[in-house]
Amino acid sequence: MASFRVLCSLALLLLTIPASRAVLDSHYYDQTCPQAEAIISQTVRNASIYDPKVPARLLRMFFHDCFIRGCDASILLDTTPGNQAEKDGPPNVSVRSFYVIDDAKAKLEMACPQMVSCADVIAIAARDVVAMSGGPSWNVLKGRKDGTVSKASDTINLPAPSFNVSQLIQSFAKRGLGVKDLVALSGGHTLGFSHCSSFQKRLRNFSSMHDIDPTMNLQLADALRKICPKGNTNPSAGTFLDSTSSIFDNEYFRQLTQGKGVFGSDQVLFIDDRTKSIVEAFAKDQSLFFGEFAASMVKLGNVGVIEKGEVRLKCHSAN
Ligand code: HEM
Ligand SMILES: *[C@@H]1O[C@H](CO)[C@@H](O)[C@H](O)[C@H]1NC(C)=O
Ligand SMILES: *[C@@H]1O[C@H](CO)[C@@H](O)[C@H](O)[C@H]1NC(C)=O
Ligand SMILES: *[C@@H]1O[C@H](CO)[C@@H](O)[C@H](O)[C@H]1NC(C)=O
Ligand SMILES: *[C@@H]1O[C@H](CO)[C@@H](O)[C@H](O)[C@H]1NC(C)=O
C-alpha cells in the first residue's frame, strides 16, 4: 500500500516536473561541507541587519534565477565583452544585493574549496530570509551545479506584472509549477518594495473604459497616484508590496481580498475563479499558506536543475 502510494506520487512527479530529472538531496554536503548552511545563514543574517532590503532582494533573486534557465545561478554572472548578462537585462528594476552571495561564497571557499555551488547558495539564502522574516522554514535540497550561460534577452521569459491569470498559469506551467504553486509563490510579495514603473499603468488612462484599474481599491489608487505623479522623474519612488513588508506573513493575501494588490498580476489572483478560492484560504489561514509556500519553494528549487557541471569558484564568472 505504502509502496503503491510512493509509486503513484513518483509517477505524478515525473509527469508534472518535466523541467528536471536531477536528484537533489538535503544531505548533499553532509560529508563535503557540513558547515555550509551555517556559513550562509550567518552571512545572510548579518547582511540583513546592516541592510533591511536584503531579505526581499534575495528571495526575488531565487525566483528570477530559477525562472531563467533553471536554478543554475545564471543570474549572478557578470556581463562580459560581447555578452550582456541576465542581471543587466529588463525587467526594469533589477535584482540587487549580489554582494551577500559573494560574501557567503568567499567564506565557503575558505572552509571547503570548490564544493558548494552558487545555485545552492541562492536556494539556501532564499530559505533563510523567509525564516528570518517570520515565515516558514524547510529542508533545502542541494546538489545543483552552476551554469555557464547568462543572457539579458532571456529575461523576456519572466512573467510581467501586467499578466492576467491565464498568462501567469502558462508561465508557471512551463516550469512544471501548478496553479497552487502560482498563488503560494506570489505570496513572496509579502516582502519588499516596487518602483512606480512596475504598476503605474494601473493608475491613469488604464483602459478605454476606466481611468484607474477597476480592480484596485480607490484609496490605494489615490495614495499611489501621489507617490507616482504624472511624469514622475524620481526613479526610486514606489511602494511596499504589503503593509507589513519586512514580515513574512499572510497580509499580502488579506490585502488582495480588499483590492490592495500592488501589481495587476497580484490582484487578478483574487478576481479569477481559478485562483480566488486559494487566495481566500491563504488569507484566512496563515499556517496553510506557510506550508504550501514551503512546498512550492522546494518545487521552484527543482526547476531546470543542472546535475553535471561546474561549481563556480566565484559566483560572478564561470570558471
Ligand atoms: C507571479 C509572477 C510575478 C510577477 C509578475 C512579479 C513581479 C514583480 C515586480 C514587477 C516586482 C517589483 C520590481 C521593482 O519595481 O522593483 C517584484 C518584486 C518582488 N518580487 Fe515578484 N513577481 C512575481 C513572482 C514572484 C515570486 C514567485 C517571488 C518569490 C517567491 C517574488 C518575490 C518578489 C520580492 C520579494 C519582491 C520585492 C523585491 C525588493 O524589495 O527588492 N515574486 N516582483
Ligand atoms: C556584516 O555585514 C557588514 C555589512 O555588509 C560587513 O561589513 C561585515 O563585514 C559583516 N560581518 C561579518 C562577520 O560577516
Ligand atoms: C490574457 O491575456 C492574453 C494576452 O493579452 C489574451 O490573449 C487573453 O485573452 C487574456 N485572457 C483572459 C482570460 O483575460
Ligand atoms: C522600464 O521603465 C521605463 C520607464 O518607466 C519604460 O519606459 C520601459 O518601457 C520599461 N521597460 C520594461 C521592459 O518594462
Ligand atoms: C489614453 O490612452 C489612449 C489610447 O489607449 C490615448 O489615445 C490617449 O491619448 C491617452 N490619454 C492620455 C491623457 O494619456
Side-chain angles (χ1 to χ4, degrees), residues 3 26 28 42 72 86 90 105 110 115 122 124 130 139 147 157 172 193 202 206 211-212 246 248 289 305 312:
S3 63
S26 64
Y28 191 81
Q42 279 161 16
D72 69 342
E86 209 172 299
K105 177 64 173 175
M110 304 272 275
M115 285 299 160
I122 300 176
I124 293 164
V130 169
N139 283 325
N157 297 316
F172 277 61
F193 179 88
R202 304 182 71 201
F206 176 71
D211 190 31
I212 296 172
S246 59
F248 195 101
F289 164 50
V305 163
R312 265 178 231 156

Side-chain angles (χ1 to χ4, degrees), residues 32-304:
T32 55
C33 196
Q35 64 278 54
E37 297 207 19
I39 290 172
I40 295 164
S41 301
Q42 279 161 16
T43 309
V44 168
R45 195 171 284 275
N46 173 59
S48 305
I49 292 168
Y50 285 84
D51 179 0
K53 293 174 178 163
V54 162
R57 288 173 169 180
L58 294 183
L59 179 57
R60 185 168 176 236
M61 184 186 292
F62 177 62
F63 165 56
H64 282 210
D65 184 36
C66 293
F67 259 53
I68 305 295
R69 295 184 172 273
C71 313
D72 69 342
S74 54
I75 193 168
L76 302 179
L77 291 173
D78 281 341
T79 292
T80 54
N83 182 61
Q84 197 178 358
E86 209 172 299
K87 59 164 70 151
D88 296 321
N92 261 326
V93 197
S94 286
V95 172
R96 286 178 232 185
S97 298
F98 296 108
Y99 72 91
V100 182
I101 304 294
D102 293 336
D103 284 1
K105 177 64 173 175
K107 289 180 191 150
L108 289 167
E109 286 305 303
M110 304 272 275
C112 14
Q114 301 175 45
M115 285 299 160
V116 184
S117 69
C118 298
D120 281 347
V121 176
I122 300 176
I124 293 164
R127 185 272 317 273
D128 289 340
V129 296
V130 169
M132 170 193 324
S133 306
S137 191
W138 57 91
N139 283 325
V140 177
L141 304 181
K142 298 164 289 275
R144 298 170 189 80
K145 292 293 191 288
D146 297 323
T148 55
V149 176
S150 177
K151 291 192 177 306
S153 55
D154 281 341
T155 58
I156 190 84
N157 297 316
L158 285 165
S162 56
F163 270 16
N164 63 34
V165 171
S166 303
Q167 293 170 301
L168 290 169
I169 288 176
Q170 194 184 19
S171 169
F172 277 61
K174 274 187 196 153
R175 280 94 178 167
L177 300 169
V179 176
K180 190 270 295 173
D181 301 309
L182 162 65
V183 180
L185 291 171
S186 293
H189 290 163
T190 181
L191 295 181
F193 179 88
S194 171
H195 298 82
C196 293
S197 58
S198 303
F199 58 81
Q200 65 193 4
K201 286 198 185 87
R202 304 182 71 201
L203 306 177
R204 290 176 195 90
N205 205 15
F206 176 71
S207 68
S208 55
M209 304 272 290
H210 299 279
D211 190 31
I212 296 172
D213 181 339
T215 67
M216 187 183 271
N217 174 290
L218 280 176
Q219 276 167 298
L220 177 66
D222 206 42
L224 294 182
R225 277 177 161 209
K226 291 191 177 103
I227 292 168
C228 312
K230 220 176 191 168
N232 171 44
T233 51
N234 176 3
S236 55
T239 187
F240 292 113
L241 295 176
D242 80 6
S243 61
T244 56
S245 69
S246 59
I247 301 172
F248 195 101
D249 56 13
N250 69 339
E251 182 60 22
Y252 164 82
F253 293 104
R254 292 145 65 90
Q255 289 194 190
L256 294 187
T257 67
Q258 300 159 18
K260 292 181 177 169
V262 172
F263 306 132
S265 59
D266 294 322
Q267 195 55 53
V268 289
L269 298 174
F270 184 66
I271 306 298
D272 193 287
D273 281 340
R274 289 167 287 181
T275 46
K276 182 175 184 173
S277 59
I278 311 176
V279 170
E280 284 173 329
F282 290 164
K284 280 201 197 96
D285 185 346
Q286 178 165 278
S287 61
L288 177 70
F289 164 50
F290 279 11
E292 296 296 348
F293 184 82
S296 292
M297 285 289 277
V298 172
K299 273 179 86 175
L300 177 58
N302 277 323
V303 172

